[in-house]
Coordinates of all heavy atoms in Angstrom, one line a residue:
M121 N 94.9 122.6 86.8 CA 95.6 123.5 87.7 C 96.9 122.8 88.1 O 97.9 123.4 88.3 CB 94.7 123.8 88.9 CG 95.1 123.5 90.3 SD 93.8 123.8 91.4 CE 94.4 122.8 92.8
S122 N 96.8 121.4 88.3 CA 98.1 120.7 88.7 C 98.3 119.6 87.7 O 97.4 119.1 87.0 CB 97.9 120.2 90.1 OG 96.9 119.2 90.1
A123 N 99.6 119.2 87.6 CA 99.9 118.1 86.7 C 99.4 116.8 87.3 O 98.9 116.8 88.4 CB 101.4 118.1 86.5
N124 N 99.6 115.7 86.6 CA 99.3 114.4 87.2 C 100.2 114.2 88.4 O 101.5 114.1 88.3 CB 99.5 113.3 86.2 CG 98.5 113.4 85.1 OD1 97.4 113.9 85.3 ND2 98.8 112.9 83.9
I125 N 99.6 114.1 89.6 CA 100.5 113.9 90.8 C 100.6 112.5 91.2 O 101.4 112.1 92.0 CB 99.9 114.8 91.9 CG1 98.4 114.5 92.2 CG2 100.1 116.2 91.7 CD1 97.9 115.1 93.4
Y126 N 99.8 111.6 90.6 CA 99.9 110.2 90.9 C 100.3 109.4 89.7 O 100.0 109.9 88.5 CB 98.5 109.6 91.4 CG 97.9 110.5 92.5 CD1 96.7 111.1 92.3 CD2 98.6 110.6 93.7 CE1 96.2 111.9 93.4 CE2 98.1 111.3 94.7 CZ 96.9 112.0 94.6 OH 96.3 112.7 95.6
K127 N 101.0 108.3 89.9 CA 101.5 107.5 88.7 C 100.8 106.2 88.7 O 100.2 105.7 89.7 CB 103.0 107.2 88.9 CG 103.8 108.4 89.3 CD 105.3 108.0 89.3 CE 105.6 107.0 90.4 NZ 105.5 107.5 91.7
E128 N 100.9 105.5 87.6 CA 100.3 104.1 87.5 C 101.0 103.3 88.6 O 102.2 103.4 88.8 CB 100.6 103.6 86.1 CG 99.7 104.1 85.1 CD 100.0 103.6 83.7 OE1 100.6 102.5 83.6 OE2 99.6 104.2 82.7
N129 N 100.2 102.4 89.1 CA 100.6 101.5 90.2 C 100.8 102.1 91.6 O 101.1 101.4 92.5 CB 101.9 100.7 89.8 CG 101.7 99.8 88.6 OD1 100.7 99.1 88.5 ND2 102.6 99.9 87.6
D130 N 100.6 103.4 91.7 CA 100.5 104.0 93.0 C 99.3 103.4 93.8 O 98.3 103.1 93.2 CB 100.4 105.5 92.9 CG 101.7 106.2 92.7 OD1 102.7 105.5 92.7 OD2 101.7 107.5 92.6
I131 N 99.5 103.3 95.1 CA 98.3 102.9 95.9 C 97.9 104.1 96.7 O 98.6 104.8 97.4 CB 98.8 101.8 97.0 CG1 99.3 100.6 96.2 CG2 97.6 101.4 97.8 CD1 98.3 99.9 95.4
L132 N 96.6 104.5 96.5 CA 96.0 105.7 97.1 C 95.1 105.3 98.2 O 94.3 104.3 98.1 CB 95.2 106.5 96.0 CG 95.9 106.8 94.7 CD1 95.0 107.6 93.8 CD2 97.2 107.5 95.0
V133 N 95.2 106.0 99.3 CA 94.3 105.7 100.4 C 93.2 106.8 100.5 O 93.6 108.0 100.5 CB 95.1 105.7 101.8 CG1 94.1 105.5 102.9 CG2 96.1 104.6 101.7
F134 N 92.0 106.4 100.4 CA 90.9 107.4 100.3 C 90.4 107.8 101.7 O 90.6 107.0 102.7 CB 89.7 106.8 99.6 CG 89.8 106.9 98.1 CD1 90.9 107.2 97.5 CD2 88.6 106.7 97.3 CE1 91.0 107.4 96.1 CE2 88.7 106.9 95.9 CZ 89.9 107.2 95.3
K135 N 89.8 109.0 101.8 CA 89.3 109.4 103.1 C 88.1 108.5 103.5 O 87.9 108.2 104.7 CB 88.8 110.9 103.0 CG 90.0 111.8 102.9 CD 89.5 113.2 102.5 CE 90.7 114.1 102.1 NZ 90.2 115.3 101.4
K136 N 87.3 108.2 102.5 CA 86.0 107.4 102.8 C 86.3 105.9 102.3 O 86.9 105.7 101.3 CB 84.9 107.9 102.0 CG 84.3 109.1 102.5 CD 83.0 109.5 101.7 CE 82.3 110.8 102.2 NZ 81.2 111.2 101.3
N137 N 85.8 105.0 103.1 CA 85.9 103.6 102.7 C 85.0 103.3 101.5 O 83.9 103.8 101.4 CB 85.5 102.7 103.9 CG 86.7 102.6 104.9 OD1 87.7 103.2 104.7 ND2 86.4 101.8 105.9
H138 N 85.4 102.4 100.7 CA 84.5 101.8 99.7 C 83.5 101.0 100.4 O 83.7 100.5 101.5 CB 85.4 100.9 98.8 CG 84.8 100.5 97.5 ND1 84.8 99.2 97.0 CD2 84.1 101.3 96.6 CE1 84.1 99.2 95.9 NE2 83.7 100.4 95.6
P139 N 82.3 100.7 99.8 CA 81.3 99.9 100.4 C 81.8 98.5 100.8 O 81.2 97.9 101.8 CB 80.2 99.8 99.4 CG 80.3 101.1 98.6 CD 81.8 101.4 98.6
C140 N 82.8 98.0 100.2 CA 83.4 96.7 100.5 C 84.2 96.8 101.8 O 84.6 95.7 102.3 CB 84.2 96.2 99.4 SG 85.8 97.0 99.2
G141 N 84.5 97.9 102.3 CA 85.2 98.0 103.5 C 86.7 98.5 103.3 O 87.4 98.9 104.2
G142 N 87.1 98.4 102.1 CA 88.5 98.8 101.8 C 88.6 100.3 101.5 O 87.6 100.9 101.3
N143 N 89.8 100.8 101.6 CA 90.0 102.2 101.3 C 91.3 102.5 100.5 O 91.7 103.6 100.4 CB 89.9 103.1 102.5 CG 91.1 103.0 103.4 OD1 91.9 102.0 103.3 ND2 91.3 103.9 104.3
S144 N 91.8 101.4 100.0 CA 93.0 101.5 99.2 C 92.7 101.2 97.7 O 92.0 100.3 97.4 CB 94.1 100.6 99.7 OG 94.3 100.7 101.0
W145 N 93.3 102.1 96.8 CA 93.0 101.9 95.4 C 94.3 102.0 94.6 O 95.2 102.8 94.9 CB 92.1 103.1 94.9 CG 90.8 103.1 95.6 CD1 90.5 103.5 96.8 CD2 89.6 102.6 95.0 NE1 89.1 103.3 97.1 CE2 88.6 102.7 96.0 CE3 89.2 102.0 93.8 CZ2 87.2 102.3 95.8 CZ3 87.9 101.6 93.6 CH2 86.9 101.8 94.6
K146 N 94.4 101.1 93.7 CA 95.6 101.1 92.8 C 95.3 101.9 91.5 O 94.2 101.7 90.9 CB 95.9 99.6 92.5 CG 97.2 99.4 91.6 CD 97.5 98.0 91.5 CE 98.4 97.7 90.3 NZ 98.5 96.3 90.0
V147 N 96.3 102.7 91.1 CA 96.1 103.5 89.9 C 96.4 102.6 88.7 O 97.5 102.1 88.6 CB 97.0 104.7 89.9 CG1 96.9 105.5 88.7 CG2 96.7 105.6 91.2
L148 N 95.4 102.4 87.8 CA 95.6 101.7 86.6 C 96.0 102.6 85.4 O 96.7 102.1 84.5 CB 94.4 100.9 86.3 CG 93.9 99.8 87.3 CD1 92.7 99.1 86.7 CD2 95.0 98.8 87.6
R149 N 95.4 103.8 85.4 CA 95.6 104.7 84.3 C 95.5 106.1 84.8 O 94.6 106.4 85.6 CB 94.6 104.4 83.2 CG 95.0 105.0 81.8 CD 93.9 104.9 80.9 NE 92.8 105.7 81.3 CZ 91.5 105.5 81.0 NH1 91.1 104.4 80.4 NH2 90.5 106.3 81.4
V150 N 96.4 107.0 84.3 CA 96.3 108.3 84.7 C 95.9 109.2 83.5 O 96.0 108.7 82.3 CB 97.7 108.8 85.2 CG1 98.1 108.1 86.4 CG2 98.8 108.8 84.1
G151 N 95.5 110.4 83.7 CA 95.1 111.3 82.7 C 94.1 112.3 83.2 O 94.1 112.6 84.4
V152 N 93.2 112.8 82.4 CA 92.2 113.7 82.9 C 91.3 113.0 83.8 O 90.8 113.5 84.9 CB 91.3 114.3 81.7 CG1 90.2 115.2 82.2 CG2 92.3 115.1 80.8
D153 N 91.0 111.7 83.5 CA 90.3 110.8 84.4 C 91.3 109.7 84.8 O 92.1 109.2 84.0 CB 89.1 110.1 83.6 CG 88.0 111.1 83.3 OD1 87.8 112.0 84.0 OD2 87.5 110.9 82.1
Y154 N 91.1 109.3 86.1 CA 92.0 108.3 86.6 C 91.2 107.0 86.7 O 90.0 107.0 87.1 CB 92.4 108.6 88.0 CG 93.7 109.5 88.1 CD1 93.6 110.8 87.6 CD2 94.9 109.0 88.5 CE1 94.8 111.6 87.7 CE2 96.0 109.8 88.6 CZ 95.9 111.1 88.1 OH 97.1 111.8 88.2
K155 N 91.8 105.9 86.3 CA 91.1 104.6 86.4 C 91.8 103.9 87.7 O 93.0 103.8 87.7 CB 91.4 103.8 85.2 CG 90.6 102.6 85.0 CD 90.8 102.0 83.6 CE 90.1 100.7 83.4 NZ 90.4 100.2 82.1
L156 N 90.9 103.5 88.6 CA 91.4 103.0 89.9 C 90.8 101.6 90.1 O 89.6 101.4 89.8 CB 91.0 103.9 91.0 CG 91.5 105.4 90.9 CD1 90.8 106.2 92.0 CD2 93.0 105.5 91.0
E157 N 91.6 100.7 90.8 CA 91.0 99.4 91.1 C 91.1 99.3 92.7 O 92.1 99.5 93.3 CB 91.9 98.3 90.5 CG 91.5 96.9 90.8 CD 92.5 95.9 90.4 OE1 93.5 95.8 91.0 OE2 92.2 95.2 89.4
C158 N 90.0 99.0 93.2 CA 89.9 98.7 94.7 C 90.8 97.5 95.0 O 90.6 96.5 94.4 CB 88.5 98.5 95.1 SG 88.3 98.1 96.9
T159 N 91.7 97.7 95.9 CA 92.6 96.6 96.2 C 92.0 95.5 97.0 O 92.5 94.4 97.2 CB 93.9 97.1 97.0 OG1 93.5 97.6 98.2 CG2 94.6 98.1 96.2
T160 N 90.8 95.8 97.6 CA 90.0 94.7 98.3 C 89.1 93.9 97.5 O 89.2 92.7 97.5 CB 89.3 95.4 99.5 OG1 90.2 96.3 100.2 CG2 88.7 94.4 100.4
C161 N 88.2 94.6 96.7 CA 87.2 93.9 96.0 C 87.5 93.9 94.5 O 86.7 93.3 93.7 CB 85.8 94.4 96.3 SG 85.5 96.1 95.6
K162 N 88.5 94.6 94.0 CA 88.9 94.6 92.6 C 88.0 95.3 91.7 O 88.0 95.2 90.5 CB 89.2 93.2 92.1 CG 90.1 92.4 92.9 CD 91.5 93.0 93.0 CE 92.4 92.1 93.8 NZ 93.7 92.9 94.1
R163 N 87.0 96.1 92.3 CA 86.1 96.9 91.4 C 86.9 98.0 90.8 O 87.8 98.6 91.4 CB 85.0 97.4 92.3 CG 84.0 98.2 91.5 CD 82.7 98.3 92.2 NE 82.2 97.0 92.6 CZ 80.9 96.7 92.7 NH1 80.0 97.6 92.4 NH2 80.5 95.5 93.1
I164 N 86.5 98.4 89.6 CA 87.2 99.4 88.9 C 86.3 100.7 88.8 O 85.2 100.5 88.5 CB 87.7 99.0 87.5 CG1 88.9 97.9 87.7 CG2 88.2 100.1 86.6 CD1 89.3 97.3 86.4
I165 N 86.9 101.8 89.1 CA 86.1 103.1 89.0 C 87.0 104.1 88.2 O 88.2 104.0 88.1 CB 85.8 103.7 90.4 CG1 87.1 104.0 91.2 CG2 84.9 102.8 91.2 CD1 86.8 104.9 92.4
I166 N 86.2 105.0 87.6 CA 86.9 106.1 86.8 C 86.6 107.4 87.6 O 85.4 107.7 87.9 CB 86.3 106.2 85.4 CG1 86.4 104.9 84.7 CG2 86.9 107.4 84.7 CD1 87.7 104.5 84.2
V167 N 87.6 108.2 87.9 CA 87.4 109.4 88.7 C 88.1 110.5 88.1 O 89.3 110.4 87.7 CB 88.0 109.2 90.2 CG1 87.8 110.4 91.0 CG2 87.4 108.0 90.9
P168 N 87.4 111.7 87.8 CA 88.1 112.8 87.3 C 89.2 113.3 88.2 O 89.0 113.2 89.4 CB 87.0 113.9 87.2 CG 85.7 113.1 87.2 CD 86.0 111.9 88.0
R169 N 90.3 113.7 87.6 CA 91.4 114.1 88.5 C 91.0 115.2 89.5 O 91.5 115.1 90.7 CB 92.5 114.7 87.6 CG 93.8 114.9 88.3 CD 94.9 115.3 87.3 NE 94.6 116.5 86.7 CZ 95.1 116.9 85.4 NH1 95.8 116.0 84.8 NH2 94.8 118.0 84.9
F170 N 90.2 116.1 89.1 CA 89.8 117.2 90.1 C 89.1 116.6 91.3 O 89.4 117.0 92.4 CB 88.9 118.1 89.3 CG 88.4 119.2 90.2 CD1 89.2 120.3 90.5 CD2 87.1 119.2 90.7 CE1 88.7 121.4 91.3 CE2 86.6 120.3 91.5 CZ 87.5 121.3 91.8
D171 N 88.2 115.6 91.1 CA 87.6 115.0 92.2 C 88.5 114.1 93.0 O 88.5 114.1 94.3 CB 86.4 114.1 91.8 CG 85.3 114.9 91.2 OD1 85.2 116.1 91.6 OD2 84.5 114.4 90.4
L172 N 89.4 113.4 92.4 CA 90.4 112.5 93.0 C 91.2 113.3 94.0 O 91.4 112.8 95.2 CB 91.3 111.8 92.0 CG 92.2 110.8 92.5 CD1 91.4 109.6 93.1 CD2 93.2 110.3 91.4
N173 N 91.7 114.5 93.7 CA 92.5 115.2 94.6 C 91.8 115.5 95.9 O 92.4 115.6 97.0 CB 92.9 116.6 94.0 CG 93.9 116.4 92.9 OD1 94.6 115.4 92.8 ND2 93.9 117.4 92.0
K174 N 90.4 115.5 95.9 CA 89.7 115.8 97.2 C 89.4 114.5 97.9 O 89.1 114.5 99.1 CB 88.4 116.4 96.8 CG 88.5 117.8 96.2 CD 87.2 118.5 96.0 CE 86.4 117.8 94.9 NZ 85.2 118.5 94.4
M175 N 89.5 113.4 97.2 CA 89.2 112.1 97.8 C 90.3 111.4 98.5 O 90.2 110.6 99.4 CB 88.6 111.1 96.7 CG 87.2 111.6 96.2 SD 86.8 110.9 94.6 CE 86.3 109.3 95.0
V176 N 91.5 111.7 98.0 CA 92.7 110.9 98.5 C 93.2 111.5 99.8 O 93.3 112.7 100.0 CB 93.8 111.0 97.5 CG1 95.1 110.4 98.0 CG2 93.4 110.2 96.2
K177 N 93.4 110.6 100.8 CA 94.0 111.1 102.0 C 95.5 111.1 102.0 O 96.2 112.0 102.4 CB 93.5 110.1 103.1 CG 93.9 110.5 104.5 CD 93.1 109.8 105.6 CE 93.4 108.3 105.6 NZ 92.7 107.6 106.7
K178 N 96.0 110.0 101.4 CA 97.5 109.9 101.3 C 97.8 108.8 100.3 O 96.9 108.0 99.9 CB 98.1 109.6 102.6 CG 97.6 108.2 103.2 CD 98.3 107.9 104.5 CE 97.8 106.6 105.0 NZ 98.5 106.0 106.1
T179 N 99.1 108.7 99.9 CA 99.5 107.6 99.1 C 100.3 106.6 100.0 O 100.9 107.0 101.0 CB 100.4 108.1 97.9 OG1 101.5 108.8 98.5 CG2 99.7 109.0 97.0
K180 N 100.3 105.4 99.6 CA 100.9 104.4 100.3 C 102.1 103.9 99.5 O 102.0 103.7 98.3 CB 100.0 103.2 100.6 CG 100.3 102.3 101.7 CD 99.4 101.1 101.7 CE 98.1 101.3 102.4 NZ 97.3 100.2 102.5
E181 N 103.3 103.7 100.2 CA 104.5 103.3 99.5 C 104.4 101.8 99.2 O 103.9 101.1 100.1 CB 105.7 103.6 100.3 CG 106.0 105.1 100.4 CD 106.1 105.8 99.0 OE1 106.6 105.2 98.1 OE2 105.6 106.9 98.9
Ligands
LIG410 ZN1 86.1 97.8 97.2

């Protein structure tokens, strides 16, 4: 429904905190699935774009 709205290296702030306490994620790869790295614990997750749009609160410059 929408094009890729986030770019590689964008920092995304999630509504919910990661179990490590952080809530900022760096975009490593974009596409149908997004690859994100937690900026606090460096864990990497894969999130479908459709779900990501609901999880992100804002982007950080
Ligand atoms: Zn984390």
Side-chain angles (χ1 to χ4, degrees):
M121 125 187 157
S122 62
N124 291 333
I125 53 174
Y126 308 118
K127 317 183 292 295
E128 284 178 23
N129 297 316
D130 276 358
I131 302 295
L132 310 181
V133 179
F134 278 15
K135 294 169 189 165
K136 283 188 184 172
N137 283 1
H138 195 227
C140 75
N143 71 344
S144 309
W145 297 80
K146 181 176 163 190
V147 179
L148 298 184
R149 197 189 67 209
V150 300
V152 176
D153 294 321
Y154 276 68
K155 195 171 176 184
L156 307 170
E157 180 189 72
C158 179
T159 62
T160 307
C161 70
K162 306 300 181 190
R163 184 162 303 214
I164 289 174
I165 60 168
I166 306 284
V167 181
R169 188 172 64 207
F170 179 77
D171 290 336
L172 184 65
N173 288 337
K174 294 182 295 192
M175 292 159 76
V176 173
K177 184 164 68 179
K178 60 178 181 165
T179 58
K180 200 187 274 182
E181 295 303 323

